[in-house]
Structures are given as C-alpha cells and as structure tokens.
Amino acid sequence: MEKLHSDIEHVRILTSLLVQKGIKEVILSPGSRNAPLLVSIAREKRLKHHVIVDERSAAFFALGIAQQTDRPVALICTSGTALLNYSPAVAEAFYQGIPLIVISADRPTEWIDQDDSQTIRQQNALDNFVKGSFQLPTAITGEEDRWHANRLVNEAINLSLNNRKGPVHINIPLREPLYEFQQEFSPSQRVIKTLKDNPSLSPETSQGLREEFFLCPKVMIIAGFHAPDPILQQHIELLASLPNVIVLTESVTNLSAPLIIPTIDRVISTIQPEEANTYAPELLITFGGAVISRMIKAFIREHAPSAHWHIDKRQLPPDTYKSMTLHIPMDARTFFDQLQPAEIKANSLPSSYAHQWHQKEEKATSKHENYLKQIPWSDLKAFSMLIPSLPAGSRLQLGNSTPVRYAQLFNYTQVARTDANRGTSGIDGCMSTAVGAASVFDGITTLIVGDNSFLYDSNALWIKNINPSLRIIVIQNGGGGIFRFLAGPSALEEMEEYFETPHEVNIEQLAKNHPFNVYQATDESSLLAVLPDFYKPGQYPVILVIHTPGKINGEILKAYFQALKA
C-alpha cells in the first residue's frame, strides 16, 4: 500500500485540520526542514497546492488568491530566513484584513542560537504584522501534547477569520528524521468553531442552538467566577429548573438558587467510577472565569461531552476541559437572553438527569453534615463555624490556597457577593484587594485568609483610612497548609521546610502595630465567644486570628473526601 503521510503526529494534526476547517489552497516553498509538511500536503487530495520557490513571491501569490476569494490561504516554508521573506506580504495582509495562515517549519527549540544550519529565532518573528503567533510542541509524547497541538491549530485558524480578518503565524519545530512516512492515516480532528454572530445571534443561529438544547437529555452548565448579575441570575435559575439541565457553580460565581449546585467537589466525590457515565453531560455549556474545582475539571476531561459551548468574549478562549467545540464570543447575559430560556423550558425534553444529580447532592450533604459533627478542632471545623456566621448582605473576600477551597465545601446564600483573586490564583495581593473592596462598600467586608498570605501582603495594614467595617480572619495554621493535602508535596520529607514554610511571626502583635482591633480564638468555644464582638460596629477595622493545629488539618480534609466517597 502506498505510504502517504508523515509519521510526525503534529504534522498530521495540522494537515487534517486544514482540510476540516475548509482551507482550499496551500502555497508550498521547497526546503528540507519542511519536508514532512510538503509531502503531507502534496499527498492530501482535498487540498489544492502550488509550488513557488521564492517565499516573497509565494506570499504575495497567496495574498492575491485570498484577496479575490475572501477565503484563508495557507503558506508553508522551511526554517531560517525563508520565513522572513514572507513579511512584506504578511504586513500587507494585516493592513488589508486578508486571512493568511503562515506555517513555518523550525528547528527544535533547544537548537536555537546554537549555530546550527538555517536556525534563527522564528517564534514570534512576525508578531508586528499578525493577529497571533502560535508555537506547536516540538513533539507529541502524550495526550497533553496532542490536545495542545489540536487546540493551537484551531485557535490560529479561527483567529484569522474572527472579526476583522488577518494573517496568523504557526511555527512548528520538527526533529529528525524528517523523511519517514506511514500508511494513510489522517484521523478526524476535533474542530472548534467560532460563532460569527456578534454581538447578537441571528434568528437562524439562535434557533439552531435552541433545538440542540431541546434535544439533549443531559445538559450541564458550569459557571466560573463572575460578578453578580440579577438578569443572568434569572436566566440561569430558569434553566436550572429544567429536568435535563444541571447547573454547577462556586462561591465566586455569585449565582445561587435552590436548584443550583454550589458545592461541586463534595457532590463529585460521591460519584463512583462505575456510574460516572450517568452523570457526565452530552452538552456542556461554560461561562465566567476560571473554575476552582480540580475535581470537575478532571471529571469532564475523562468523560468528554459530545458538544461543548464556551461563552467568552476573548478572541482566544481557554479550552479548560479539553472538549470545546463552539466558541460563543459574547457575554453570558446577552447569550442566555438571546437563547430565550423560557422557550427552551416550554420545549424541554423529559429527562431524569437533573433529578439524579440532586439525589447525589442530598447524599453528599448528609455525609458532609455527619462528618463535621465528629471532627476535632481544625481548619475544616473553623470554616464550618465561620461560614454560617457571615452577616446577611455582607461581602466576602477569600484568600487563595486553602481558604477559597474550604469555602467551596459549604452552601451559603446570605452573603451578597463573594470574590477572590482567581484570575491568576496567587497569594500576593489578597489583603490589599480586600482593603480596596471594603473602601467602596458601606457594609461589612470579610476577608478569610491564610497566615502565609496575610504575612506576604501585610503592607496592606498600613494603607491609610481603612474602612472600619473591614473584618479580616487569619487562619493561623503554621504555614502553607495546602501542601499537607496535595498528593505530591505531602509525601516528601522536605514538605515542611520547603513547601509549608512554617513561621514564628506573632500575627496578633503584628496586627496591634496598626489601627486594628485584634481578637484571637484557639478552639471551638473561644471562636463562638468572640464572633459576636468581632462583627460589632466600631471605630476601627478588626482582625481575628484563629489558631488551628497545622499537622492534622490535611489528614482531616483527606478523610473528609474519603467519607464522601464511601
């Protein structure tokens, strides 16, 4: 049988997606490093190709085709200065708004600047004149690399056609051997589409999406961090009432309703491996910022839905769950408003999907409550007392690492708004963020933060004119408590010194050096006693330091999840 395709997998991924994304013409310029690309394109009968030796001329030739057809044209060159010869035509395409897919073969990244033949700094070489630059992995060594390459090629081609069209650059490092080929094998690749209807859906598009929604028996909506939005709240609440829809949120999503599940990790923990397919969605809809729960990310990645709509105004949306099939470039409120949830409800499909999830939620809640009754003084016990004590109508700021994760285990609705620095999830500014948030809110703002995060950003304490309604709760557990329940660090003999990094700072004394009232609690009874005074109005902001036994916190949390799984 004739050998057709390169055995380099990311070359096959690229070739397949060029076909599937509707590219009709490819302009090839000869070379050695790009040989796998040349041969694969030449032997792909669904692509028309032209061979032009001079890359400068080749790029303008491609520009002419794309200009007249209003369709993207791909260009392929070898490594070295060949790529730079594309730049005049690429610049012209950029300013004309013409879609070109520039594909350059490159040497492996470790050989850049090592005086190897035809090796220059190709990555980002055309940045001033392209809508985006994309560097594929040097080799496909596992599923992560495979997903990465697929996502990058999808993103590049989509970007060239989104909004104002224009050129993009895909750089592909290739290792030798370059001239090995295999039997024809060009499997269908996952294609990520982008809606062109923006800022509103056309009647045809919205009707098509509604019909897909109507006919799906298992729809899951996952919402990441989001500012409060009453109109969006109404739409999601209506969708959550459908029998074929389950809505999963987190505290920082700021969406709550009786049929919404806000405690993702504790519910996911009760799902046994043999029943996972029952709870996996067929259609996944996501919106908002990053999701805290690692469990739901792992669950969806292991049980990929048939379709995944991601609502995101960014040009290059994240593919968090490795399953995105449709990018909807608008804000969530606009999308759900145009999707018309009321019409979906009137036509919804009979399904037991939501009921099954709510049964799991009931079981998880019962196990959660039973476990909390029996545990000793610890971080988890402290949170079980702190969360219900948050004043109605107040606002909550959560520090990263353990506080934001503990908060996800509790269902609370009395707080008007919950926020955390989850864009990058760092510990470096949560105190200052909370002080700033409190400065523009007349009611109580509570920050719950770990001791390391508190110390890291302690300069926030001497910001002038801190709102006296600010309340800071410091969980003093001896250092980076999160490392005691992460599987990797917790097993290392260096865990305490190099990860947890215990300290000897007297936080109460540090706090008293600033205009704060300071309280402390060391057990359940002292915490119960101090909470009423902690939230009393006063002339100064207040800090409460809660001492917990660091060495057992991780074990108690691990046992918590084991109890949910049992």
Side-chain angles (χ1 to χ4, degrees), residues 357-490:
W357 268 95
H358 289 303
Q359 283 185 316
K360 281 292 182 191
E361 183 187 26
E362 290 177 12
K363 182 180 291 187
T365 300
S366 176
K367 290 184 174 184
H368 167 87
E369 291 173 351
N370 289 336
Y371 184 82
L372 292 181
K373 291 175 184 176
Q374 60 172 327
I375 61 173
W377 178 243
S378 57
D379 282 357
L380 186 57
K381 176 64 82 173
F383 269 86
S384 73
M385 300 168 67
L386 291 172
I387 295 298
S389 74
L390 295 167
S394 65
R395 295 183 179 179
L396 176 63
Q397 292 273 335
L398 292 167
N400 276 311
S401 294
T402 54
V404 74
R405 288 172 170 82
Y406 277 116
Q408 309 312 311
L409 304 178
F410 297 88
N411 187 1
Y412 56 98
T413 58
Q414 79 275 25
V415 174
R417 173 171 182 158
T418 302
D419 291 282
N421 290 346
R422 293 304 297 178
T424 57
S425 307
I427 69 168
D428 40 352
C430 55
M431 290 269 291
S432 300
T433 301
V435 172
S439 73
V440 291
F441 180 56
D442 292 333
I444 290 174
T445 298
T446 302
L447 166 67
I448 305 179
V449 64
D451 48 358
N452 274 9
S453 297
F454 176 87
L455 293 171
Y456 197 101
D457 195 24
S458 60
N459 279 341
L461 298 177
W462 54 274
I463 293 174
K464 290 184 178 180
N465 303 318
I466 293 178
N467 191 332
S469 64
L470 176 64
R471 299 294 182 270
I472 299 175
I473 298 172
V474 184
I475 307 297
Q476 167 94 58
N477 53 22
I482 190 171
F483 296 110
R484 287 197 174 269
F485 60 81
L486 292 179
S490 63

Side-chain angles (χ1 to χ4, degrees), residues 318-380:
D319 186 23
T320 303
Y321 302 94
K322 298 184 175 180
S323 61
M324 182 167 52
T325 56
L326 179 65
H327 170 215
I328 301 170
M330 56 181 60
D331 63 84
R333 182 212 285 191
T334 302
F335 171 74
F336 286 115
D337 185 51
Q338 295 182 17
L339 193 64
Q340 299 174 1
E343 181 179 333
I344 288 175
K345 185 168 185 178
N347 295 274
S348 64
L349 188 74
S351 171
S352 61
Y353 188 57
H355 177 69
Q356 290 168 320
W357 268 95
H358 289 303
Q359 283 185 316
K360 281 292 182 191
E361 183 187 26
E362 290 177 12
K363 182 180 291 187
T365 300
S366 176
K367 290 184 174 184
H368 167 87
E369 291 173 351
N370 289 336
Y371 184 82
L372 292 181
K373 291 175 184 176
Q374 60 172 327
I375 61 173
W377 178 243
S378 57
D379 282 357
L380 186 57

